[in-house]
Amino acid sequence: MTSTNNLINYGTLVLKLFQYNIKVIFANKFIYFLVAAVLFFVMLVTIALFDDPVMNEALIFGFLMFPGILLMFYPIAYGIQNDDDSKMLEIIFGIPNYRYKVWLLRFVMIILVVLFNLYLLCLLANFTILQFDIFPMLYRLLFPITFLASLGFMLSTLVKSGNGTAIVMVIVGLIFLIFIEPLEYSAWNIFLNPYGEPRDMNQTIWMQVVLKNRLYLTIGSIVTLLYAMFNLQSREKFVS
């Protein structure tokens, strides 16, 4: 009986911790980004339907990519500033190594929330546009979104301002977009579409390109996340 009560108490504590961090991360403004992401997705699909293209998984991947980026944009850019505004920054820095656990947990929560909302968009697309395997699609979307989230989190530890981080993220995103066409089928393309296999490329070579792309994005995510954690060692830069 005691072990059951302990388990219930632990579960309640985890739930409260999750709810609290969700409130801090999204600061009641996430709903605007969620609505914008859904509207953006619907707009892309509507434009594509009027152009009358042959619907396939490559197009669906592209439709889902940018709403996913939009969903992670606010919590990543404004995470540290929200802590500052809620007077939690000094408390987090006041407990040794606590900040790593808090912000790593929040980073994982952001990715999970984004994936959940992308799952709902996948269901919508599956019923209205084209039937496809949802979980493989989410798995492939996870790589670029996690990398961009890690990069954005690193930038937030350097800029230390929500608005400043947002501006820098937009500039970096535009730079990546400029190189989409010249790097369209390159492993270095952040937005590489794994479903968009070129006709003139051997399938085995294409699979190697996709595999290298995932490897580069994974390494980039780890490096930028570790660098962000390293930046968080300097308490004086954040708390004055």
Side-chain angles (χ1 to χ4, degrees), residues 34-47:
L34 178 59
V35 171
V38 173
L39 292 177
F40 188 62
F41 176 76
V42 172
M43 181 188 70
L44 288 177
V45 171
T46 303
I47 293 174

Side-chain angles (χ1 to χ4, degrees), residues 171-192:
I171 294 173
V172 172
L174 289 174
I175 293 173
F176 286 150
L177 286 173
I178 290 173
F179 287 98
I180 278 186
E181 189 171 344
L183 297 176
E184 185 176 5
Y185 301 119
S186 167
W188 295 101
N189 182 7
I190 305 297
F191 304 106
L192 181 72

Side-chain angles (χ1 to χ4, degrees), residues 14-26:
V14 171
L15 180 61
K16 288 182 178 179
L17 180 65
F18 182 83
Q19 290 174 338
Y20 170 76
N21 280 286
I22 284 291
K23 288 180 181 179
V24 174
I25 292 170
F26 299 112

